[in-house]
Amino acid sequence: METLSENRCYGGVQGVYKHASEACGCDMTFGLFLPEEARDGPVPVLWYLSGLTCTHENAMTKAGAQQWAAEQGIALVFPDTSPRGDDVADDDAFDLGKGAGFYVNATEAPWAPHFRMWDYVTDELPTLVTRNFAIDEDRQGITGHSMGGHGALTIAMTLPEKYRSVSAFSPICNPTGGDWGKKQFAAYLGSDESKWAAHDASLLMAEKGFDGPVLVDTGTADNFLDLLRPETLAQAAAARRQQIQFRMQPGYDHSYFFVSTFMEDHVAFHAEALYS
Protein backbone atom coordinates (compact mmCIF):
# COMPACT_ATOMS: atom_id res chain seq x y z
CA MET A 1 0.00 0.00 0.00
CA GLU A 2 1.28 3.42 -1.00
CA THR A 3 0.49 6.64 0.83
CA LEU A 4 -0.42 9.32 -1.70
CA SER A 5 -1.20 12.06 0.81
CA GLU A 6 -2.00 12.66 4.48
CA ASN A 7 -3.40 15.94 5.79
CA ARG A 8 -4.32 17.12 9.26
CA CYS A 9 -8.10 17.43 9.38
CA TYR A 10 -10.39 18.27 12.35
CA GLY A 11 -7.82 16.92 14.78
CA GLY A 12 -7.44 13.69 12.81
CA VAL A 13 -5.87 12.72 9.50
CA GLN A 14 -7.37 12.61 6.01
CA GLY A 15 -5.30 10.21 3.93
CA VAL A 16 -5.35 8.93 0.37
CA TYR A 17 -3.85 5.53 -0.37
CA LYS A 18 -3.24 3.29 -3.37
CA HIS A 19 -2.89 -0.48 -3.46
CA ALA A 20 -2.89 -3.39 -5.88
CA SER A 21 -6.37 -4.95 -5.87
CA GLU A 22 -6.71 -8.66 -6.48
CA ALA A 23 -10.48 -8.34 -6.80
CA CYS A 24 -10.33 -5.68 -9.50
CA GLY A 25 -7.06 -6.72 -11.10
CA CYS A 26 -5.66 -3.18 -11.04
CA ASP A 27 -4.41 -0.47 -8.71
CA MET A 28 -7.18 1.09 -6.62
CA THR A 29 -7.22 4.34 -4.66
CA PHE A 30 -9.27 5.15 -1.56
CA GLY A 31 -9.62 7.92 0.99
CA LEU A 32 -9.59 7.33 4.75
CA PHE A 33 -10.32 9.80 7.52
CA LEU A 34 -9.14 8.77 10.98
CA PRO A 35 -10.37 10.85 13.93
CA GLU A 36 -8.06 11.80 16.79
CA GLU A 37 -9.41 8.90 18.90
CA ALA A 38 -7.76 6.42 16.53
CA ARG A 39 -4.42 7.25 18.17
CA ASP A 40 -5.61 5.43 21.27
CA GLY A 41 -7.21 2.38 19.67
CA PRO A 42 -9.68 1.10 17.07
CA VAL A 43 -12.64 3.33 16.22
CA PRO A 44 -15.94 2.60 14.46
CA VAL A 45 -16.05 3.11 10.70
CA LEU A 46 -18.58 4.50 8.23
CA TRP A 47 -18.24 3.48 4.60
CA TYR A 48 -19.28 6.08 2.01
CA LEU A 49 -20.02 4.79 -1.51
CA SER A 50 -20.06 7.45 -4.20
CA GLY A 51 -22.21 7.79 -7.31
CA LEU A 52 -21.86 7.82 -11.07
CA THR A 53 -18.76 9.53 -12.54
CA CYS A 54 -17.21 9.93 -9.08
CA THR A 55 -13.88 8.76 -7.69
CA HIS A 56 -12.81 8.46 -4.05
CA GLU A 57 -12.25 12.21 -4.09
CA ASN A 58 -15.74 13.68 -4.63
CA ALA A 59 -17.29 12.95 -1.24
CA MET A 60 -13.95 13.30 0.51
CA THR A 61 -13.71 16.95 -0.58
CA LYS A 62 -17.38 17.99 -1.02
CA ALA A 63 -19.55 16.19 1.54
CA GLY A 64 -18.21 17.87 4.68
CA ALA A 65 -18.31 14.53 6.47
CA GLN A 66 -14.99 14.80 8.33
CA GLN A 67 -16.19 17.53 10.69
CA TRP A 68 -19.09 15.43 11.92
CA ALA A 69 -17.09 12.19 11.97
CA ALA A 70 -14.47 13.91 14.11
CA GLU A 71 -17.14 15.03 16.57
CA GLN A 72 -18.41 11.45 16.84
CA GLY A 73 -15.01 9.71 16.83
CA ILE A 74 -15.78 7.74 13.68
CA ALA A 75 -13.50 6.82 10.77
CA LEU A 76 -14.65 7.35 7.18
CA VAL A 77 -13.67 5.30 4.14
CA PHE A 78 -14.19 6.65 0.62
CA PRO A 79 -13.65 3.87 -1.96
CA ASP A 80 -13.48 4.48 -5.69
CA THR A 81 -16.55 3.68 -7.79
CA SER A 82 -14.91 1.36 -10.34
CA PRO A 83 -11.64 -0.20 -11.42
CA ARG A 84 -9.19 2.05 -13.26
CA GLY A 85 -6.37 1.63 -15.77
CA ASP A 86 -5.62 1.54 -19.49
CA ASP A 87 -6.51 -2.15 -19.75
CA VAL A 88 -9.85 -1.77 -17.94
CA ALA A 89 -12.94 -1.89 -20.17
CA ASP A 90 -14.89 1.33 -20.59
CA ASP A 91 -17.83 2.84 -22.46
CA ASP A 92 -18.48 6.25 -23.96
CA ALA A 93 -21.58 6.69 -21.81
CA PHE A 94 -21.13 8.20 -18.34
CA ASP A 95 -23.32 5.53 -16.70
CA LEU A 96 -21.41 2.43 -17.79
CA GLY A 97 -17.79 1.44 -17.35
CA LYS A 98 -15.25 3.51 -15.45
CA GLY A 99 -16.93 5.54 -12.74
CA ALA A 100 -20.04 3.34 -12.96
CA GLY A 101 -19.24 0.02 -11.31
CA PHE A 102 -22.69 -0.25 -9.67
CA TYR A 103 -21.14 -2.30 -6.83
CA VAL A 104 -21.69 -5.66 -8.53
CA ASN A 105 -19.41 -8.50 -9.60
CA ALA A 106 -19.61 -8.49 -13.40
CA THR A 107 -19.92 -11.87 -15.09
CA GLU A 108 -20.04 -10.74 -18.71
CA ALA A 109 -17.36 -9.70 -21.21
CA PRO A 110 -15.62 -7.30 -21.39
CA TRP A 111 -16.38 -6.32 -17.79
CA ALA A 112 -15.79 -9.53 -15.83
CA PRO A 113 -11.97 -9.36 -15.48
CA HIS A 114 -12.00 -6.08 -13.51
CA PHE A 115 -15.50 -5.02 -12.49
CA ARG A 116 -15.77 -6.87 -9.19
CA MET A 117 -16.71 -3.96 -7.00
CA TRP A 118 -18.93 -6.04 -4.69
CA ASP A 119 -15.98 -8.18 -3.61
CA TYR A 120 -13.74 -5.15 -3.41
CA VAL A 121 -16.02 -3.06 -1.18
CA THR A 122 -17.35 -5.86 1.05
CA ASP A 123 -14.22 -7.98 1.48
CA GLU A 124 -10.88 -6.90 0.06
CA LEU A 125 -10.83 -3.24 1.07
CA PRO A 126 -12.28 -3.81 4.58
CA THR A 127 -9.63 -6.47 5.19
CA LEU A 128 -6.88 -4.12 4.04
CA VAL A 129 -8.16 -1.19 6.09
CA THR A 130 -8.69 -3.09 9.34
CA ARG A 131 -5.26 -4.71 9.09
CA ASN A 132 -3.40 -1.45 8.54
CA PHE A 133 -5.35 1.16 10.51
CA ALA A 134 -7.03 1.50 13.91
CA ILE A 135 -10.48 0.40 12.69
CA ASP A 136 -12.93 -1.70 14.71
CA GLU A 137 -14.25 -4.31 12.25
CA ASP A 138 -17.13 -5.14 14.59
CA ARG A 139 -18.59 -1.62 14.40
CA GLN A 140 -19.32 -0.72 10.80
CA GLY A 141 -22.00 1.37 9.11
CA ILE A 142 -22.49 2.07 5.41
CA THR A 143 -23.92 4.96 3.43
CA GLY A 144 -23.76 6.35 -0.08
CA HIS A 145 -25.14 8.71 -2.69
CA SER A 146 -27.12 7.84 -5.82
CA MET A 147 -25.42 4.76 -7.33
CA GLY A 148 -23.56 4.57 -4.02
CA GLY A 149 -26.83 4.71 -2.11
CA HIS A 150 -27.94 1.73 -4.20
CA GLY A 151 -24.73 -0.03 -3.23
CA ALA A 152 -25.03 0.79 0.46
CA LEU A 153 -28.60 -0.49 0.71
CA THR A 154 -28.07 -3.68 -1.26
CA ILE A 155 -24.82 -4.53 0.53
CA ALA A 156 -26.30 -3.92 4.00
CA MET A 157 -29.41 -6.00 3.35
CA THR A 158 -27.37 -8.83 1.86
CA LEU A 159 -24.68 -8.80 4.57
CA PRO A 160 -26.50 -7.59 7.70
CA GLU A 161 -23.98 -9.29 9.97
CA LYS A 162 -21.33 -6.80 8.79
CA TYR A 163 -23.18 -3.51 9.29
CA ARG A 164 -25.03 -2.09 12.27
CA SER A 165 -26.69 0.71 10.29
CA VAL A 166 -27.33 1.84 6.72
CA SER A 167 -28.29 5.15 5.17
CA ALA A 168 -28.48 6.63 1.71
CA PHE A 169 -28.68 9.98 -0.05
CA SER A 170 -30.94 9.93 -3.14
CA PRO A 171 -30.32 6.23 -3.82
CA ILE A 172 -31.21 4.34 -7.00
CA CYS A 173 -33.95 2.32 -5.33
CA ASN A 174 -35.31 0.07 -8.06
CA PRO A 175 -32.66 -0.47 -10.76
CA THR A 176 -34.41 -3.49 -12.24
CA GLY A 177 -37.38 -1.24 -13.01
CA GLY A 178 -35.60 1.85 -14.35
CA ASP A 179 -33.07 3.02 -16.91
CA TRP A 180 -30.39 3.38 -14.22
CA GLY A 181 -30.09 -0.35 -13.76
CA LYS A 182 -31.56 -2.26 -16.68
CA LYS A 183 -28.80 -1.12 -19.04
CA GLN A 184 -25.98 -1.71 -16.54
CA PHE A 185 -27.24 -5.03 -15.20
CA ALA A 186 -27.69 -6.38 -18.72
CA ALA A 187 -24.10 -5.38 -19.52
CA TYR A 188 -22.49 -6.54 -16.29
CA LEU A 189 -24.68 -9.52 -15.30
CA GLY A 190 -26.22 -10.71 -18.57
CA SER A 191 -29.73 -10.97 -19.93
CA ASP A 192 -31.07 -13.30 -17.21
CA GLU A 193 -33.06 -10.81 -15.15
CA SER A 194 -33.40 -13.23 -12.25
CA LYS A 195 -29.74 -12.45 -11.47
CA TRP A 196 -30.50 -8.75 -11.19
CA ALA A 197 -32.84 -8.99 -8.21
CA ALA A 198 -29.95 -9.47 -5.75
CA HIS A 199 -28.89 -5.89 -6.51
CA ASP A 200 -32.25 -4.14 -6.27
CA ALA A 201 -32.84 -2.34 -2.95
CA SER A 202 -36.62 -2.34 -3.22
CA LEU A 203 -36.79 -6.05 -4.01
CA LEU A 204 -34.35 -6.82 -1.20
CA MET A 205 -36.38 -4.68 1.20
CA ALA A 206 -39.49 -6.68 0.34
CA GLU A 207 -37.66 -10.00 0.66
CA LYS A 208 -35.22 -9.44 3.54
CA GLY A 209 -35.31 -5.97 5.03
CA PHE A 210 -32.55 -4.94 7.41
CA ASP A 211 -32.26 -5.87 11.07
CA GLY A 212 -31.22 -2.41 12.17
CA PRO A 213 -31.85 1.30 11.60
CA VAL A 214 -32.27 2.68 8.06
CA LEU A 215 -32.21 6.33 6.98
CA VAL A 216 -32.95 7.53 3.43
CA ASP A 217 -33.01 11.15 2.24
CA THR A 218 -34.06 12.25 -1.27
CA GLY A 219 -34.78 15.74 -2.54
CA THR A 220 -38.18 16.60 -3.96
CA ALA A 221 -36.45 18.71 -6.65
CA ASP A 222 -34.05 15.92 -7.63
CA ASN A 223 -33.89 15.98 -11.42
CA PHE A 224 -33.34 12.20 -11.49
CA LEU A 225 -36.40 11.19 -9.45
CA ASP A 226 -37.88 9.08 -12.25
CA LEU A 227 -34.62 7.12 -12.42
CA LEU A 228 -34.22 6.80 -8.64
CA ARG A 229 -37.78 5.55 -8.06
CA PRO A 230 -37.81 6.26 -4.27
CA GLU A 231 -41.49 5.37 -3.96
CA THR A 232 -40.67 1.70 -4.61
CA LEU A 233 -38.41 1.52 -1.55
CA ALA A 234 -40.89 3.38 0.64
CA GLN A 235 -43.70 1.02 -0.38
CA ALA A 236 -41.55 -2.08 0.23
CA ALA A 237 -40.46 -0.82 3.66
CA ALA A 238 -44.03 0.01 4.66
CA ALA A 239 -45.30 -3.38 3.53
CA ARG A 240 -42.56 -5.08 5.53
CA ARG A 241 -43.02 -2.73 8.50
CA GLN A 242 -39.30 -2.10 8.41
CA GLN A 243 -37.95 0.47 10.86
CA ILE A 244 -36.91 3.27 8.53
CA GLN A 245 -36.60 7.04 8.38
CA PHE A 246 -37.65 7.84 4.81
CA ARG A 247 -37.51 11.56 4.14
CA MET A 248 -38.34 13.58 1.04
CA GLN A 249 -36.52 16.87 1.56
CA PRO A 250 -38.41 19.82 0.01
CA GLY A 251 -36.59 21.75 -2.69
CA TYR A 252 -33.33 19.80 -2.66
CA ASP A 253 -31.72 18.39 -5.79
CA HIS A 254 -29.20 15.62 -6.50
CA SER A 255 -26.02 17.61 -5.86
CA TYR A 256 -23.42 17.60 -3.12
CA PHE A 257 -25.07 20.74 -1.75
CA PHE A 258 -27.90 18.38 -0.78
CA VAL A 259 -25.54 15.71 0.55
CA SER A 260 -23.52 18.15 2.66
CA THR A 261 -26.71 19.70 4.09
CA PHE A 262 -27.83 16.41 5.64
CA MET A 263 -24.44 14.82 6.30
CA GLU A 264 -24.50 15.78 9.98
CA ASP A 265 -27.81 13.92 10.38
CA HIS A 266 -26.44 10.80 8.72
CA VAL A 267 -23.19 10.69 10.69
CA ALA A 268 -25.09 11.17 13.96
CA PHE A 269 -27.55 8.47 12.91
CA HIS A 270 -24.72 5.99 12.38
CA ALA A 271 -22.89 7.07 15.54
CA GLU A 272 -25.92 6.18 17.62
CA ALA A 273 -25.91 2.66 16.20
CA LEU A 274 -22.13 2.21 16.24
CA TYR A 275 -21.76 3.29 19.87
CA SER A 276 -24.88 1.60 21.24
Side-chain angles (χ1 to χ4, degrees):
M1 188 173 62
E2 178 185 353
T3 299
L4 300 182
S5 64
E6 287 184 335
N7 298 96
R8 189 77 167 154
C9 181
Y10 290 104
V13 176
Q14 175 62 63
V16 178
Y17 308 93
K18 183 169 71 173
H19 69 106
S21 167
E22 182 177 343
C24 296
C26 63
D27 285 346
M28 295 292 285
T29 303
F30 66 95
L32 170 66
F33 170 73
L34 284 174
E36 190 171 14
E37 289 85 347
R39 297 177 181 177
D40 301 320
V43 296
V45 62
L46 177 60
W47 294 84
Y48 183 100
L49 306 186
S50 290
L52 289 167
T53 75
C54 292
T55 68
H56 70 281
E57 189 174 20
N58 295 73
M60 187 181 78
T61 58
K62 295 180 180 180
Q66 292 90 341
Q67 175 183 357
W68 312 118
E71 286 193 6
Q72 301 287 353
I74 292 173
L76 300 167
V77 183
F78 305 98
D80 203 345
T81 55
S82 76
R84 308 282 175 176
D86 293 340
D87 61 339
V88 174
D90 200 9
D91 190 271
D92 290 337
F94 77 95
D95 57 358
L96 187 68
K98 294 178 186 177
F102 265 77
Y103 304 100
V104 302
N105 287 337
T107 58
E108 304 300 303
W111 315 105
H114 298 286
F115 281 75
R116 302 189 61 80
M117 289 301 295
W118 181 278
D119 283 354
Y120 178 70
V121 167
T122 66
D123 185 15
E124 184 179 34
L125 187 56
T127 299
L128 179 74
V129 168
T130 54
R131 284 180 179 174
N132 288 276
F133 300 96
I135 300 295
D136 184 350
E137 62 182 342
D138 293 325
R139 290 187 291 167
Q140 301 188 59
I142 190 166
T143 187
H145 174 230
S146 194
M147 179 186 72
H150 140 79
L153 290 167
T154 57
I155 286 170
M157 284 188 278
T158 304
L159 302 170
E161 70 281 358
K162 279 182 171 284
Y163 307 98
R164 293 192 182 184
S165 51
V166 59
S167 74
F169 301 87
S170 50
I172 301 172
C173 296
N174 182 217
T176 65
D179 290 340
W180 271 357
K182 289 182 177 180
K183 168 186 173 181
Q184 293 80 6
F185 289 176
Y188 294 145
L189 304 175
S191 59
D192 183 356
E193 295 187 16
S194 66
K195 297 178 180 178
W196 303 358
H199 298 284
D200 186 301
S202 295
L203 298 180
L204 287 171
M205 179 62 74
E207 178 188 355
K208 298 181 178 183
F210 181 70
D211 187 19
V214 182
L215 170 63
V216 176
D217 277 315
T218 302
T220 62
D222 194 309
N223 47 318
F224 300 113
L225 273 179
D226 290 342
L227 296 169
L228 303 177
R229 296 172 58 82
E231 67 280 359
T232 61
L233 182 66
Q235 291 163 3
R240 189 174 185 81
R241 299 178 180 175
Q242 166 76 43
Q243 60 166 318
I244 186 172
Q245 297 180 54
F246 182 89
R247 310 189 302 192
M248 297 297 298
Q249 300 291 0
Y252 285 90
D253 58 20
H254 199 73
S255 70
Y256 266 94
F257 296 110
F258 158 67
V259 173
S260 61
T261 299
F262 297 100
M263 181 57 70
E264 180 183 8
D265 287 359
H266 282 245
V267 173
F269 164 83
H270 286 282
E272 184 176 356
L274 294 174
Y275 278 106
S276 64

